Amino acid sequence: MKKAQMVIETSLRAGGTDPIFRIAGEAANRTKELGPEAVINSTIGALMDDDGELVTFKSVYDTLKGLPNHLIADYSGLAGQPDFLEKITEACFKNCKPEGYIRAVATPGGTGAVRHSFCNYTELGDTILLTDWYWAAYATIADENHRKVTTFPLYNEAGGFNLEGWKKSILKLLEKQQRVLTVLNTPAHNPTGYTISLEEWQAIKTFVTETATAQPTSKIILLVDLAYIDFAGEGDEARQFMKMLTGMPHNVLTLYAFSCSKGYTMYGLRNGAILCVAPTAEIADEFANACTYSNRGNWSNGTRGAMETITKIFGNDELYNQAMAEQSFYKSILRRRAAAFVEEANKIGLKMVTYCDGFFISIPCDKPQEVSSRLMENNTFVVALGKGLRFAPCAVSEEKCRRSPQLILDAIKEVEGR
Ligand SMILES: Cc1ncc(COP(=O)(O)O)c(C=O)c1O
């Protein structure tokens, strides 16, 4: 890399477009040139309808646009508007609110919540534990804030959560640092769609409890990233684990990163929260104070109109039911698309990692870049990751989801000769 001229050495960046945005740009150009029918664009991490238009919930946008101007324009409280904090807590836990001291602080999306947990719950230079398939922004947020990341393989041989690998990594980190923060992006993990099961959560809880008891001076922080929760499971199924994550030793803290981006189609409105389920009132207050201070020191207040929209939806039965009906309508479309892809992939022998729910399906391969480039020649755009390809049923019609596995398998065979 070049030498820094005016920026400090550690702020010297390679530049250029983010690889996902670059391939998305190419897909958009190809669509303009050849028309939407000829192109499979699975690069977008947002819910698109079958015509390739961004899905937006009418309940959300009618509410937002119906707000008086001053409720859109005004600043919000630094921690978020108090009524919003109450409603976002409902949105996060629904009927599965755990026992404990629960506090919420508004953040600009789940990204802000991830940032605050990394910065307030790990020391400078600490290493944060991620799964080996992970959302790339975790590493950016860690790096930007002078933290490191390490990974463990997400899957065991049976395609379930690799509990043993995760435990080993936690213990190893606790040998070299006082605290460990582990990010568990579940349900409907990005980029694989994996959801940690209740049995796996029970084993996680048991291990954390034993380890924290045996090492009383260490601290264990579970950051559960819920970005895709409202597209997982039926009813409250996907939230059942939350009731379990309580009653652990006082040196364990559970944090939740909640995002309104996907669940309420509010991507650009930057709305979400970080929540804690703390074992004591002091730990909960400390959390709220630290994260509110972090808000002030980073972006100050959140987006008032976005907060008011959620507050209004959760305060009015009719609006709430409308929003839930929209969520569930699109969840069933997403499920049909993903099921079409998985069924076809299984039929032709295209290997995937375990998919349960959500926006993305991952296909492991040795040369993802080359396979992605090969697919582009066929007007099929799939994101190349370090360990394979990320296909996005959230952005592709059912018919195209059914067609894609064969195209991907052919490209892998051509490039990798298998
Ligand atoms: C795994 C994961 N976590 C968190 C987020 C946060 O998104 P936002 O900041 O838009 O809420 C995303 C968005 O793509 C994500 O994929």
Side-chain angles (χ1 to χ4, degrees):
M1 205 186 290
K2 283 193 294 197
K3 252 189 92 56
Q5 309 228 352
M6 290 300 280
V7 297
I8 57 170
E9 286 296 333
T10 50
S11 290
L12 193 63
R13 310 291 179 202
T17 322
D18 172 291
I20 295 187
F21 287 116
R22 192 169 57 236
I23 178 174
E26 285 179 30
N29 289 341
R30 197 76 61 87
T31 305
K32 230 182 265 167
E33 197 186 309
L34 303 174
E37 266 322 297
V39 176
I40 297 179
N41 179 3
S42 119
T43 62
I44 304 165
L47 199 55
M48 311 299 277
D49 67 19
D50 287 352
D51 299 323
E53 297 294 328
L54 185 71
V55 169
T56 55
F57 293 170
K58 191 168 162 9
S59 52
V60 169
Y61 289 93
D62 285 357
T63 304
L64 176 72
K65 290 175 187 171
L67 290 173
N69 286 349
H70 72 94
L71 286 186
I72 300 174
D74 208 354
Y75 284 126
S76 74
L78 270 184
Q81 289 301 100
D83 47 2
F84 167 74
L85 296 178
E86 194 186 301
K87 300 303 184 195
I88 203 78
T89 304
E90 267 178 50
C92 176
F93 298 113
K94 299 263 180 93
N95 292 319
C96 298
K97 202 169 170 181
E99 295 286 330
Y101 294 85
I102 297 181
R103 298 289 292 271
V105 172
T107 55
T111 304
V114 170
R115 188 264 166 218
H116 283 358
S117 42
F118 284 12
C119 292
N120 291 311
Y121 289 93
T122 68
E123 298 284 0
L124 279 173
D126 269 0
T127 299
I128 291 162
L129 183 60
L130 307 176
T131 52
D132 59 348
W133 294 87
Y134 67 87
W135 183 45
Y138 294 139
T140 310
I141 297 167
D143 182 53
E144 168 84 358
N145 291 290
H146 310 286
R147 270 78 172 172
K148 301 184 200 81
V149 296
T150 189
T151 63
F152 69 99
L154 167 59
Y155 294 103
N156 59 22
E157 277 179 3
F161 180 68
N162 174 19
L163 198 64
E164 293 312 311
W166 176 76
K167 287 183 190 175
K168 234 171 44 203
S169 302
I170 297 265
L171 292 175
K172 199 162 154 207
L173 282 173
L174 282 176
E175 273 173 22
K176 73 173 184 100
Q177 54 192 52
Q178 286 291 307
R179 48 175 73 232
V180 58
L181 185 150
T182 176
V183 184
L184 297 170
N185 171 210
T186 181
H189 175 266
N190 173 8
T192 65
Y194 190 69
T195 295
I196 294 180
S197 71
L198 283 181
E199 294 71 35
E200 289 163 345
W201 270 120
Q202 186 54 58
I204 288 171
K205 180 178 172 178
T206 303
F207 170 76
V208 164
T209 301
E210 286 169 4
T211 307
T213 307
Q215 302 191 31
T217 56
S218 63
K219 297 181 198 309
I220 302 177
I221 293 99
L222 301 173
L223 171 62
V224 190
D225 182 345
L226 303 173
Y228 299 90
I229 190 160
D230 288 313
F231 288 95
E234 292 297 345
D236 282 335
E237 214 172 39
R239 286 176 164 79
Q240 292 302 322
F241 75 95
M242 295 171 164
K243 288 193 287 193
M244 197 189 275
L245 289 187
T246 186
M248 290 181 279
H250 290 193
N251 50 338
V252 177
L253 183 65
T254 310
L255 302 177
Y256 290 97
F258 188 79
S259 167
C260 298
S261 296
K262 332 277 168 184
Y264 296 86
T265 67
M266 288 180 129
Y267 311 91
L269 284 166
R270 312 308 303 138
N271 202 19
I274 171 133
L275 298 100
C276 77
V277 180
T280 68
E282 289 76 15
I283 293 173
D285 286 347
E286 179 190 76
F287 158 88
N289 293 340
C291 293
T292 305
Y293 188 89
S294 289
N295 271 357
R296 186 53 159 162
N298 282 281
W299 40 75
S300 199
N301 332 62
T303 311
R304 177 68 178 266
M307 289 186 206
E308 295 293 345
T309 302
I310 289 293
T311 303
K312 217 165 163 198
I313 290 174
F314 276 78
N316 174 313
D317 284 350
E318 199 179 317
L319 262 179
Y320 177 76
N321 291 337
Q322 195 188 333
M324 289 308 101
E326 289 183 275
Q327 238 180 32
S328 110
F329 175 75
Y330 285 105
K331 183 158 76 177
S332 53
I333 291 183
L334 178 62
R335 286 194 150 172
R336 279 205 299 276
R337 291 175 178 177
F341 185 97
V342 170
E343 191 183 287
E344 192 58 27
N346 284 335
K347 201 177 334 166
I348 64 169
L350 174 68
K351 199 169 152 229
M352 295 161 290
V353 292
T354 312
Y355 173 86
C356 305
D357 254 319
F359 279 29
F360 307 111
I361 295 172
S362 285
I363 298 108
C365 66
D366 297 331
K367 295 179 178 164
Q369 274 307 338
E370 285 94 324
V371 177
S372 170
S373 302
R374 179 74 197 87
L375 281 163
M376 272 153 75
E377 291 167 22
N378 266 338
N379 303 319
T380 301
F381 293 80
V382 181
V383 172
L385 304 170
K387 293 177 65 75
L389 301 166
R390 185 188 83 175
F391 185 83
C394 62
V396 178
S397 71
E398 187 178 336
E399 181 272 318
K400 286 180 182 173
C401 280
R402 199 169 284 286
R403 258 198 291 136
S404 296
Q406 189 67 59
L407 295 167
I408 295 171
L409 184 63
D410 291 347
I412 292 175
K413 279 184 179 159
E414 279 171 40
V415 170
E416 299 184 357
R418 60 181 164 99

